[in-house]
Amino acid sequence: MTTLPGTPFRLTQFAHGGGCACKIPPGELEEVLGALAAPPPAPSDTPLLVGLATGDDAAVVALPAPGGDSAQALVATADFFTPVVDDPYDWGRIAAANALSDVYAMGGRPVLAVNLLSWPRDVLPFDLAREVLRGGLDIATEAGCHVGGGHSVDDPEPKYGMAVTGLADPRRLLRNDAGRPGLPLSLTKPLGLGVLNNRHKATGERFEQAVATMVALNRDASAAALAAGASCATDVTGFGFLGHLHKLARASGVTAVVDTAAVPYLEGAREAVREGYVSGGTRRNLEWVAPFTDFGDTDADTRLLLADAQTSGGLLVAGEVPGAPVVGELVPRGPHSVVLR
């Protein structure tokens, strides 16, 4: 790890939270969404394949085809957040990779993105905003995704992200409700991003291993999951590994058994937990999943790491993904949605 050189602006100091740790707590969000009336039926030529019901990573609608059967599906998502690192270019890259990840988590490929930018223009120079946008453009270019403009507002707190549209094969989607007993669970990126980002915000220390992990696209992992025949996946972001796994198990009607010794972590993550660099978002995640989780004898630090609010984390796939560790398996539904061993 290195120490961030002196700079007149530390972007993380202009935000109350950082990255996906600033998401609305999952319990509160589900309470609000659960009170909404069911949407009206969609047009028959564009059926909604994935919507609000399972809390998946993106919405998916089937596109009409001349022959009657849909040959393609449209994937739509949006994601934005406050600064997770102080470097504006890195923040742009991380936010873009995180937004694109929702399309990859559905088994799609992103084709068009538009920027979402909030900026305190009387406080922070707009040159920094340009660097944020440049970072987002570079990651979208790497993904082969067009950036076609966007929307910006004057806001006391800086925020950046993208709304992304992608395409997928409707017969080969990755969904969080398609898990079944007997499938292994693979995790394509290590955990610990939240605690390292929180330490960065508090101390200014720069963690290159965290930045490299967050800017890495989930494109190859998605392609590998599809090639392996997987049909169930989600990405691990603000609700933590346990939160997203609980949602997957609940939607699929199964129980997920986790081998805690097999879960990978970034260098320095456990040290950051021991020293108290745990976000409020992580603690809320753990509180939310507690009623649905059999923790066994898992220690307190490991529980926090498993609930750590990730930003631009990896894919959690029901199936084996070459190069990714197997961290558990799905079994028939039991008293809990998640069991730690």
Side-chain angles (χ1 to χ4, degrees):
M1 68 186 70
T2 59
T3 302
L4 185 73
T7 174
F9 298 101
R10 289 196 57 209
L11 287 177
T12 57
Q13 304 308 298
F14 289 84
H16 74 284
C20 289
C22 66
K23 292 176 75 168
I24 292 174
E28 294 179 22
L29 186 61
E30 289 195 343
E31 183 177 349
V32 170
L33 296 178
L36 295 177
S44 58
D45 62 341
T46 56
L48 185 67
L49 302 180
V50 180
L52 187 63
T54 59
D56 217 324
D57 297 295
V60 183
V61 64
L63 297 177
D69 292 332
S70 177
Q72 282 191 315
L74 186 144
V75 184
T77 185
D79 209 311
F80 63 97
F81 46 67
T82 54
V84 67
V85 293
D86 290 323
D87 185 282
Y89 177 72
D90 282 345
W91 175 33
R93 293 197 296 157
I94 292 164
N98 183 75
L100 294 165
S101 178
D102 284 342
V103 175
Y104 294 130
M106 303 304 300
R109 61 179 181 88
V111 295
L112 176 65
V114 291
N115 291 308
L116 305 172
L117 178 70
S118 298
W119 200 258
R121 60 186 184 83
D122 292 332
V123 178
L124 289 174
F126 222 73
D127 285 352
L128 296 180
R130 182 172 60 238
E131 284 299 290
V132 176
L133 295 170
R134 185 170 71 89
L137 178 61
D138 282 355
I139 286 295
T141 300
E142 180 184 341
C145 178
H146 297 290
V147 178
H151 184 68
S152 61
V153 297
D154 189 350
D155 192 312
E157 193 172 53
K159 304 176 185 73
Y160 173 66
M162 287 178 164
V164 186
T165 301
L167 295 172
D169 184 338
R171 300 157 298 186
R172 301 183 67 221
L173 293 174
L174 297 174
R175 310 170 52 123
N176 72 355
D177 63 354
R180 63 181 188 274
L183 289 174
L185 289 167
S186 300
L187 181 64
T188 67
K189 286 185 183 181
L191 304 181
L193 291 164
V195 291
L196 291 180
N197 289 338
N198 208 38
R199 182 167 185 162
H200 170 70
K201 177 178 171 65
T203 69
E205 294 172 273
R206 181 176 169 88
F207 298 92
E208 297 292 350
Q209 71 275 29
V211 173
T213 299
M214 290 185 286
V215 302
L217 293 172
N218 281 328
R219 174 184 54 198
D220 293 346
S222 177
L226 289 172
S231 59
C232 178
T234 187
D235 64 350
V236 180
T237 54
F239 299 154
F241 173 83
L242 288 180
H244 290 285
L245 182 56
H246 161 61
K247 291 178 67 177
L248 183 152
R250 181 181 62 185
S252 298
V254 298
T255 288
V257 179
V258 178
D259 177 3
T260 56
V263 178
Y265 301 100
L266 286 164
E267 178 185 356
R270 282 197 175 274
E271 177 185 357
V273 171
R274 287 196 300 268
E275 296 183 11
Y277 296 104
V278 179
S279 69
T282 291
R283 297 189 186 280
R284 289 190 292 270
N285 287 343
L286 187 58
E287 181 181 4
W288 176 59
V289 300
F292 315 109
T293 304
D294 178 354
F295 290 103
D297 59 0
T298 307
D299 63 85
D301 286 356
T302 299
R303 296 184 189 191
L304 286 168
L305 282 169
L306 291 172
D308 189 37
Q310 305 297 279
T311 296
S312 193
L315 297 186
L316 178 59
V317 180
E320 290 197 46
V321 178
V326 172
V327 298
E329 64 176 332
L330 300 181
V331 300
R333 179 70 181 181
H336 297 89
S337 60
V338 179
V339 175
L340 304 185
R341 291 180 178 165

